[in-house]
Every structure is written in C-alpha cells, then in structure tokens.
Amino acid sequence: MEDKKVIFSGIQPTGTFTLGNYIGAIRNWGSLQEEYNCIYCVVNMHAITVKQEPSKLRKNTLDAYALLMACGIDPEKSILFIQSHVKTHAELSWLLSCSTQFGELSRMTQFKDKSRRHPDDINAGLFTYPVLMAADILAYNADLVPVGIDQKQHLELARNIAQRFNQRYGELFTVPEAYIPEVGAKVMSLQEPSKKMSKSDENPNACILILDDKDTIIRKFKRAVTDSEAEICYREGKDGINNLMTIYSSVTGKNFDEITSEFSGKGYGDFKLAVGEAVADHLAPIREKFAQFSSDKEYLKKCYTEGAEKALAYSQRIVSKAYRKVGFVDKK
Ligand code: ATP
Ligand code: LTN
C-alpha cells in the first residue's frame, strides 16, 4: 500500500445500523478513503460479548458488510473484512491482555453499563472487550481511528496499552489518535434525548435505522420528544431540539445559525417534518445500494475473502514482530 497514514475502525454486527452509527462514524469512513490507507472491519468477535443467536449473528454480519459497502466503502480502495476471518486479532489480543491492568478495565464505562444491562452474563469477554479493540487497531499500526465519542475511553486505553508495550519491549506500535466528528459525535435517542441513540434500544421509535423507509423515518421524527417552548435554537436544556438540529446539520451541511433563521417563526411540527425529509432523502440511496449488494452473495463473498487475505498479510507482519519482542520462539 502507498505511504499514507493508516485509518482503522470497526462496527459490531449487533443489528441494523442506526443514524447514530452513520453520522458518528460510518459516514466519515467513506470520505477518508482517498487520503488514507483505510482498514475497516465488521467486529463479530466483539458482538458475542453479549448473547447472540448464531443464525442471526451470521446474517447480521453479512448484512453489516453489505451495508458498509452501501455506505460508500469500496473494497477496492479500502481493506474491508470480517474480524473472525483474521486470526491475528485474537493472537495479539492475548499478548496485549498481559500488558493491561485489571484496574484499567474495571474503569471502562461501557463495561459498567453493559454489566448493568446483562447482569446474568457478565462474562470475561465483556470485561476484556477493550483489549481486543486495542489489538484490532495496533495490529495495523493505525494512526487514526474514526469513532463516535462514546468510544473515546476505549481509545485512550488502546493508547496506554501501546505505550506500555513499547516501553516494556521496545518501540513497535503506533500510538493511535481518535478521529471524532465535530457535529454528530453523539446522536441522542429520539425518545429520551439525554441517552445516546443505540441499536439495542427496546423502543423502536427511539432510533432511526439506516434502512428505514421514508414514511417510517418521518413518523419517528414526528414523535420525537422535544420541549414545551416553541423556539428552534441550540441551547443547554433543549436536549431534544439540540439533537434534531445536530441531525439536520449533519445531513444538510447547514450550521446551527442557518437552521435557526430557516425556521424562525415556524413550529416544531414543521421542523420535525423537514428533518425527517432531509434524513430520508439522504438515506434513500443507501437503501437502494444495500438491496443490490446484499442480493449478490457471490460478489460479497469474493470481497470479504480478499479483504481477509489482505488484512492477514498486513497484520501478520506487525503481530510477528510483537511475538518476537515478548520472547516467543520463532517457528522456523
Ligand atoms: P450497541 O447498541 O449494540 O452497543 P452501538 O449502536 O453503540 O451498538 P457500535 O457498533 O458499538 O454501535 O458502534 C459503532 C460506531 O458507531 C462507533 O464508532 C460508535 O462510536 C458510533 N456510535 C454508536 N452510537 C452512536 C451515536 N448515538 N452517536 C454517534 N456515534 C455513535
Ligand atoms: N468498540 C467499538 C467497535 C470496535 C472498534 C474497534 C472501533 C471494535 N474494534 C477498533 C474502532 C476500532 C464499538 O463498540 N463501537
């Protein structure tokens, strides 16, 4: 690959992607492809840290792959693959887990949240999840990691692990930086705008899925929780409206002042309808491309097989060096 900076990111195949996933992360992935060497991964190994039905996980993984292609990730330009196809991730994860402290992992807010939500299955994988994420990133010596703000803490941990390993065994890993969008780093639930929009929300009106049709999108926005004022402006305490403004800004490119003047004198009903239409129009081409990619199973298979080969070759060089550095005996 050419001598450009390296980008790595991943997404879990835990369901259809939400507008939050799209605005906070995936949308940027496509636009970075020209300027960087991009490596993107469907992280199905992370997904099994919470209970998954095997047949559903298989389908969700392939759908996630096709959906990333529909969102503009081109397997000719980027390395696009499925995590479980590339063994170096699990191998490096073990090495890095021995350079990660129990105390560090105990402080991770995602672990605390997910343990609270799944009290009957607080498994070791859920606890060491961030180590596997660090392995994903460090195995490619990635410079930048485009994610939503909720992943910042995991990224800080990946940086600490890289630095600790380098100090202990000698320079090897690039210390990665988070790449977080200025607007839309955290899209909130449409029903409880103090909580992030999440695929796993039980209330279907809380999140927009990127494959929702136009009527569904508009209906969900019409029901979005706002406030009792009638003023469309970005201000502390107006969580619902702030969220709608963020979404509208992300899909139209307009800034908050422009949005406020566009809707001055208009009511929340008009604004919600405009946001719904703008989002639906923005997502329509993705739905069409998804239908096309997901029906061509052979092409999909060719893409993920080649992606995995490239990812393995790339990461193997770095992981072999890590094996040598810790003192593992060479095989040949
Ligand atoms: P789950 O609900 O299953 O935990 P999730 O919706 O949080 O999943 P992930 O696969 O964990 O999705 O995240 C994929 C990417 O989307 C990450 O970079 C994450 O930061 C980003 N992301 C997730 N939710 C949001 C959101 N509401 N706003 C902005 N970015 C988000
Ligand atoms: N933890 C991330 C998904 C993820 C990831 C990664 C993101 C797994 N490995 C490597 C960036 C880089 C999440 O839940 N969003």
Side-chain angles (χ1 to χ4, degrees):
M1 278 175 125
E2 292 164 65
D3 200 19
K4 296 176 181 168
K5 284 199 169 180
V6 177
I7 296 259
F8 184 98
S9 200
I11 185 154
Q12 302 190 71
T14 40
T16 306
F17 303 160
T18 67
L19 186 63
N21 298 137
Y22 179 73
I23 292 177
I26 305 165
R27 190 178 42 169
N28 295 323
W29 297 9
S31 60
L32 295 164
Q33 292 178 115
E34 306 299 335
E35 209 180 319
Y36 298 92
N37 281 336
C38 293
I39 305 165
Y40 298 124
C41 178
V42 178
V43 292
N44 54 348
M45 288 159 70
H46 279 102
I48 61 164
T49 55
V50 300
K51 268 192 206 112
Q52 302 288 338
E53 198 175 315
S55 58
K56 223 165 153 188
L57 177 63
R58 206 167 286 125
K59 177 174 186 314
N60 282 342
T61 303
L62 295 173
D63 281 355
Y65 193 96
L67 206 41
L68 290 178
M69 286 170 61
C71 290
I73 294 152
D74 177 350
E76 299 288 326
K77 289 188 189 153
S78 299
I79 300 181
L80 179 60
F81 68 104
I82 297 170
Q83 190 185 30
S84 63
H85 288 167
V86 182
K87 64 183 176 136
T88 42
H89 292 239
E91 291 172 350
L92 184 59
S93 181
W94 178 253
L95 249 62
L96 298 182
S97 72
C98 300
S99 286
T100 309
Q101 300 301 305
F102 178 85
E104 288 178 304
L105 291 174
S106 313
R107 287 193 288 276
M108 294 292 117
T109 51
Q110 183 175 297
F111 171 68
K112 290 191 235 170
D113 283 354
K114 290 204 174 170
S115 329
R116 228 172 282 133
R117 270 191 278 148
H118 307 276
D120 56 335
D121 187 22
I122 308 178
N123 61 77
L126 192 62
F127 188 63
T128 58
Y129 174 115
V131 182
L132 179 59
M133 175 164 164
D136 295 339
I137 299 165
L138 303 187
Y140 298 87
N141 269 341
D143 298 284
L144 288 175
V145 183
V147 282
I149 206 150
D150 61 303
Q151 294 300 311
K152 196 166 177 230
Q153 194 187 30
H154 287 160
L155 209 79
E156 288 295 326
L157 180 65
R159 290 168 57 85
N160 290 340
I161 297 173
Q163 279 161 343
R164 192 170 306 131
F165 188 99
N166 288 348
Q167 269 161 16
R168 198 180 277 180
Y169 299 110
E171 281 301 310
L172 173 62
F173 295 124
T174 303
V175 180
E177 304 255 359
Y179 183 98
I180 295 171
E182 268 168 40
V183 175
K186 195 170 186 185
V187 175
M188 310 310 268
S189 155
L190 297 186
Q191 291 298 314
E192 284 176 81
S194 56
K195 267 180 37 188
K196 84 160 190 167
M197 182 182 284
S198 167
K199 297 187 203 104
S200 33
D201 203 307
E202 272 150 31
N203 183 347
N205 289 320
C207 70
I208 303 290
L209 303 179
I210 65 178
L211 295 177
D212 278 344
D213 61 37
K214 186 163 187 168
D215 290 349
T216 309
I217 294 175
I218 291 177
R219 181 168 38 80
K220 287 181 180 176
F221 276 111
K222 275 192 183 155
R223 291 186 184 163
V225 170
T226 47
D227 52 55
S228 54
E229 305 170 356
E231 204 186 349
I232 296 155
C233 65
Y234 196 98
R235 190 179 340 115
E236 201 172 332
K238 289 174 76 73
D239 291 350
I241 289 294
N242 293 349
N243 190 36
L244 295 182
M245 287 185 71
T246 300
I247 294 171
Y248 192 62
S249 168
S250 302
V251 295
T252 59
K254 295 175 185 164
N255 65 32
F256 292 157
D257 287 343
E258 287 167 334
I259 299 171
T260 299
S261 37
E262 183 179 348
F263 290 96
S264 96
K266 294 194 180 145
Y268 285 173
D270 293 334
F271 181 47
K272 287 177 175 180
L273 182 62
V275 180
E277 283 182 339
V279 169
D281 291 346
H282 189 93
L283 297 180
I286 299 178
R287 282 181 68 211
E288 279 168 32
K289 284 189 204 137
F290 173 74
Q292 200 184 315
F293 287 129
S294 63
S295 63
D296 193 346
K297 301 278 180 265
E298 279 311 304
Y299 180 61
L300 218 53
K301 189 170 183 182
K302 175 179 173 291
C303 293
Y304 66 69
T305 306
E306 287 176 7
E309 281 163 9
K310 289 187 223 163
L312 179 65
Y314 197 114
S315 55
Q316 187 79 71
R317 286 182 299 128
I318 295 158
V319 175
S320 302
K321 284 189 194 154
Y323 266 41
R324 229 166 285 135
K325 282 202 183 278
V326 301
F328 290 171
V329 174
D330 280 344
K331 248 196 312 196
K332 47 178 175 16

